[in-house]
Amino acid sequence: YLLKPDRSLRELAWRATSERRLQEKDSLETIYDKMLQLRHKIATNCGFDNFRDYMFKAMHRFDYTPEHCYAFHDGIQNVIIPLLEKMLNKRKANMALDTLKPWDGSCDPFNRGPLEPFETEEEFISGVTHIFRKIDPKLADQFDKMNDLNLLDLMSRKGKAPGGYQSGLEEIRVPFIFMNAVGVDDNLRVLIHEGGHAFHSFAAADEPLVDYRHAPIEFCEVASMGMELLAIDHYTEFYEADEAQRSKEDSLESIITVLAWIATIDCFQHWVYENPTHTPQERKAKWLEIHNKFGGQFTDWDNTGESHDYAWHRQLHLFECPFYYIEYGIAQLGALGLWVQAKADKTNALKNYHNGLSLGGSKRLPELFEATGLPFDFSQKTIEPLAQALADELELS
């Protein structure tokens, strides 16, 4: 419903979601406070000053530190947030609005209805297979193998579990893709994304050690996000040229949005665990400060109750998987780097892609990035040229 041209309908849908979440506000706050107390106790029992430092060890983050994350936050604030502001101002002008409300960010700014790339699973699989074949016939053959072995469970159906993922079937060393497609534009990116994970699985399948068949998440997501960007010029398999361009622009704009959100969530987590005795009121104030710093101020939250105060409640990672989120920011920068390579030399970019994937988890993160022709750096120095490429493509300069 948030994709619909009818603004009043979008508002109803957004408010229904937000108000339902706010019904659980007090319960969620109580649960989170208990989690923070227990997590801090775990950390101090193990000799750490705070849970953040404990988790960096527990998550085997041997190749970067909290200081690297701070550099990422600064780079996003200095480079991506100005780009986000330009993008949202352009959206506001195209929609002829004085301000953007929370329900105005996902719909088409020219009042066009949602893109509908396919109706049947057969159309879906065939179109994505053709996209992979245009990128590299070897990848298309691997995708065909998955289809032949019935390893694609793609369409939504009653009673099916939610979500989407790629999972390795270790004994036979082939990947399996699960998702809930309903014929909307984002379904294309999800399957192409999970296809990237599947190609990573195929590339490392011959590794004798199970653990070497799986790279750290920070690089696994380069395989998937990178494949999304390698495929971005081939959407004409599903659309006429103007709609393919619209889908491409939506994809690139979503990268700007998600980088800002990743920085928001990661920055918030660092503060939460570095200040273990904070009160819920202090947490709310800090959340609003951080969210506004990373783009929240570009949305008009007036007359939305406490929705802005507790917008972080919608991010399950904060509750279930603390500190698991920065990986996507690191990987998104890597994927953008691969895209920039492909714009200059598609053959070399694909070669680098295969090189990196073939190493599985047998090398450290810096070596995996290096094998893919990418710097393992997520500071402003790395972010700036990637942001410029986005700005050029979206005409935001």
Side-chain angles (χ1 to χ4, degrees), residues 38 53 76 84 93 129 179 219 230 247 273 280 321 324-325 380:
L38 288 169
D53 294 346
I76 297 299
L84 176 65
T129 302
M179 63 178 288
F219 188 74
L230 290 175
S247 181
Y273 290 103
C321 321
Y324 169 45
Y325 208 53
Q380 185 165 328

Side-chain angles (χ1 to χ4, degrees), residues 81-91 298 391 396-397:
I81 299 309
L83 201 58
L84 176 65
E85 184 175 16
K86 290 179 182 179
M87 184 182 88
L88 293 179
N89 283 338
K90 183 178 179 181
R91 167 175 282 270
F298 303 141
L396 296 174
S397 298

Side-chain angles (χ1 to χ4, degrees), residues 1-2 7-18 103:
Y1 289 109
L2 292 174
R7 196 182 190 207
S8 61
L9 179 62
R10 296 199 307 270
E11 179 179 355
L12 285 172
W14 185 89
R15 289 188 181 278
T17 304
S18 178
W103 47 86

Side-chain angles (χ1 to χ4, degrees), residues 68-78 263 266-267 270 294 326:
H68 290 98
C69 297
Y70 299 154
F72 174 81
H73 305 161
D74 290 344
I76 297 299
Q77 183 182 3
N78 295 334
D266 192 62
C267 185
H270 282 269
F294 290 110
I326 187 66

